[in-house]
Amino acid sequence: MAPIAETPTIDRAAVLLVEDMPALARLYIETLSKVGIAVDHAETGAEALAALAQGRYATVLLDLNLPDMNGMDILQHIRDQQIPVAPIVITAHGSVNTAVDAMRLGAFDFLVKPFPGDRLTVTVRNTLERMRLQREVDAWREDLGRDRYYGFIGRSPTMQAVYRIIDSAAASKATVFITGESGTGKELCAEAIHRRSPRRDQPFIALNCGAIPRDLMESEIFGHVKGAFTGAVADREGAAVRADGGTLFLDEICELPPELQTKLLRFLQTGQVTAVGGSRDRKVDLRIVCATNRDPAEEVRRGRFREDLYYRLLVIPVTLPPLREREDDVLLIARQFLHDYAAEEGKTFGDFDIEVAEDLQRYAWPGNVRQLQNVVRNIVVLHDGGRVSRAMLPSPVRSLIPAAQPSRPIELPPPMPSGATSPVRPLWMVEKETIEAAITACDGHVPRAAALLGISASTIYRKRLNWEAEGHD
């Protein structure tokens, strides 16, 4: 196989020409090179198969009559091996049947010898453009279509943004600062960063700074030597040493006492650990990921968290959205929990009734994913059946879904003078008309209407309930 000197290419896509006649091969190569398309040439089917195995070509110009095999066999090989290449078949024996057979095997286009140079150029350009667009679509589908990601469940745009940050940050050693309400999955995020990183085979050590007594915190992080304090009967490695080579996750970082914040700052600057009661420093190589459910900037303003430590930690911020802002993720997560817990408990649940699905979507979930998880587990443990009915919802959730209330009189302003009209209408009326018009335009599909309006589906459900309760239906 003779590679042609590389020239500026369209999207840097490479073309493999499979042609056993040298004169024709030179003609095709010269024609395509003039428009900046680089071509590699294979004279036999065996050379073509070896070249295709490299997986670097966007398209292949394939003569069907080769000295060692039929071009159809190469098409079949491309299809069987799912090689991402768009074949263009070239033959001097064109017929409708041959074209149909080639297209059935995955050929993108069909050229019958002899053909003009501009026909070749246009065909190859179109094929390369198609492959470029296909790569973009595949990339977007992979990036935006993920509904599972290292333990996370969710396909909403806000979660896709979180996945992209983790993808970008994982390979670095830079400190990650995760914020979000309780129950949004901060430790899951830290684990995803670790599992996505080159440190994935090294330790992941998690430490909850809010669950450790104040006087033991330093020892838990940095370790201690025998006799350092009452009860220290032996040397003990801290979390920082156990995480050497891997990731140290400090959850609820804002709970650290001020004196320990100073020591943590020194550790971040030097990378050296000094055990409590010890005199020797130990160098460690680890990545710090921290999290809090508080507003760290507010903690700094109130003097409860060191400003220099805050900015030392705030290299890559990740904000996990509350469940109420994740649109249709609620049902996706709930159904996964239902499936898992039903299998675990030996129950027959398969899905939620329609009204229950609507209830779950409109509920605000102040406890986020953790609360949803507990609600579904409660249902599965205490009930059984093919579908979850509204009667099975635990009282905290069921009681917070308001029932329709009787209409009550609305106090109207004094009537306008005869013949006069007011240019101002109540805000709820304008809002209701806009939302209902969007739902009608979307054939009753509330999530689609919500997306067009730039709000979440749960917002629409809550507003509808409020209008009903206030007699605005």
Side-chain angles (χ1 to χ4, degrees):
M1 183 177 65
I4 305 301
E6 187 174 352
T7 59
T9 65
I10 298 175
D11 197 27
R12 301 196 62 81
V15 175
L16 176 65
L17 170 64
V18 186
E19 171 60 66
D20 63 325
M21 298 181 65
L24 284 178
R26 284 195 298 271
L27 177 61
Y28 301 154
I29 291 170
E30 290 175 2
T31 300
L32 294 173
S33 296
K34 289 178 181 178
V35 295
I37 300 176
V39 182
D40 283 353
H41 177 212
E43 293 186 355
T44 65
E47 288 183 2
L49 294 178
L52 288 169
Q54 300 174 21
R56 64 177 293 262
Y57 300 102
T59 187
V60 54
L61 281 165
L62 178 62
D63 187 2
L64 291 183
N65 294 298
L66 300 172
D68 56 341
M69 67 177 64
N70 190 294
M72 290 293 190
D73 295 332
I74 296 179
L75 283 176
Q76 185 68 55
H77 175 80
I78 291 172
R79 181 175 181 177
D80 291 345
Q81 299 299 315
Q82 298 183 346
I83 300 173
V85 63
I88 301 171
V89 168
I90 302 175
T91 180
H93 308 284
S95 70
V96 173
N97 290 337
T98 304
V100 169
D101 291 342
M103 295 298 182
R104 187 178 294 120
L105 288 175
F108 177 68
D109 210 335
F110 192 85
L111 294 172
V112 180
K113 298 177 182 178
F115 46 83
D118 56 353
R119 172 79 169 95
L120 173 64
T121 300
V122 168
T123 300
V124 173
R125 279 184 179 275
N126 288 343
T127 306
L128 293 177
E129 179 65 10
R130 178 207 183 192
M131 294 302 291
R132 184 188 68 79
L133 292 174
Q134 185 62 52
R135 289 195 301 271
E136 289 187 4
V137 169
D138 292 343
W140 277 101
R141 182 178 293 117
E142 179 181 357
D143 195 27
L144 299 178
R146 294 178 287 188
D147 57 13
R148 301 290 192 280
Y149 183 87
Y150 291 98
F152 280 112
I153 301 174
R155 63 167 66 98
S156 62
T158 53
M159 289 308 297
Q160 300 299 327
V162 171
Y163 303 159
R164 288 195 295 273
I165 293 174
I166 295 174
D167 285 340
S168 300
S172 169
K173 187 183 175 181
T175 303
V176 178
F177 202 135
I178 307 169
T179 56
E181 297 177 7
S182 294
T184 52
K186 293 186 289 296
E187 183 166 353
L188 198 62
C189 180
E191 290 178 351
I193 293 169
H194 175 75
R195 291 168 59 191
R196 191 80 167 80
S197 76
R199 299 171 179 265
R200 65 181 66 89
D201 296 325
Q202 300 302 316
F204 174 84
I205 305 298
L207 203 63
N208 189 327
C209 300
I212 300 172
R214 186 186 185 99
D215 55 350
L216 294 180
M217 182 68 70
E218 183 178 0
S219 171
E220 287 293 326
I221 296 178
F222 302 120
H224 62 255
V225 298
K226 181 179 179 180
F229 51 83
T230 302
V233 296
D235 291 354
R236 182 174 185 274
E237 291 184 341
V241 173
R242 297 199 306 275
D244 192 12
T247 302
L248 175 61
F249 174 50
L250 298 176
D251 197 6
E252 303 304 340
I253 188 74
C254 288
E255 300 292 338
L256 280 179
E259 63 274 12
L260 195 52
Q261 293 178 28
T262 303
K263 294 183 178 181
L264 179 60
L265 179 62
R266 177 183 176 276
F267 166 62
L268 292 173
Q269 292 170 340
T270 65
Q272 294 183 334
V273 174
T274 304
V276 177
S279 57
R280 292 185 303 171
D281 292 338
R282 174 172 175 175
K283 189 77 173 179
V284 294
D285 172 29
L286 52 81
R287 200 232 187 108
I288 295 286
V289 178
C290 57
T292 181
N293 61 5
R294 300 185 185 182
D295 180 351
E298 180 63 22
E299 295 298 300
V300 170
R301 282 193 295 270
R302 292 179 176 271
R304 294 194 289 252
F305 199 77
R306 290 182 60 111
E307 185 175 18
D308 49 359
L309 177 59
Y310 171 61
Y311 288 113
R312 183 66 176 77
L313 294 171
L314 194 69
V315 181
I316 301 176
V318 179
T319 301
L320 296 181
L323 188 56
R324 61 184 173 274
E325 296 178 3
R326 292 176 55 181
E327 301 180 358
D328 294 336
D329 285 354
V330 171
L331 279 182
L332 192 67
I333 298 169
R335 286 187 171 117
Q336 185 63 54
F337 286 153
L338 185 68
H339 176 270
D340 293 344
Y341 295 147
E344 180 182 310
E345 300 289 341
K347 301 296 181 70
T348 60
F349 285 116
D351 203 351
F352 301 93
D353 283 345
I354 294 177
E355 61 268 19
V356 174
E358 293 176 348
D359 292 342
L360 296 177
Q361 284 187 298
R362 69 166 62 101
Y363 183 59
W365 298 108
N368 294 296
V369 178
R370 186 180 295 120
Q371 182 188 12
L372 176 59
Q373 181 179 14
N374 292 339
V375 165
V376 176
R377 182 181 281 278
N378 175 287
I379 292 169
V380 173
V381 170
L382 299 182
H383 305 88
D384 198 2
R387 300 175 71 86
V388 176
S389 67
R390 179 173 279 177
M392 297 178 185
L393 289 172
S395 57
V397 177
R398 188 171 63 245
S399 63
L400 291 174
I401 299 172
Q405 299 177 4
S407 301
R408 58 190 183 203
I410 301 174
E411 295 185 5
L412 297 175
M416 299 287 292
S418 178
T421 58
S422 173
V424 179
R425 291 185 299 152
L427 180 60
W428 70 263
M429 186 180 297
V430 177
E431 189 177 53
K432 183 174 185 294
E433 289 176 358
T434 301
I435 289 177
E436 295 297 341
I439 294 173
T440 301
C442 294
D443 297 325
H445 194 278
V446 173
R448 189 180 305 131
L452 292 174
L453 291 169
I455 59 178
S456 66
S458 59
T459 298
I460 291 182
Y461 289 123
R462 285 197 297 272
K463 286 185 179 295
R464 278 181 150 183
L465 284 173
N466 290 337
W467 295 328
E468 184 179 7
E470 294 172 4
H472 296 330
D473 48 353

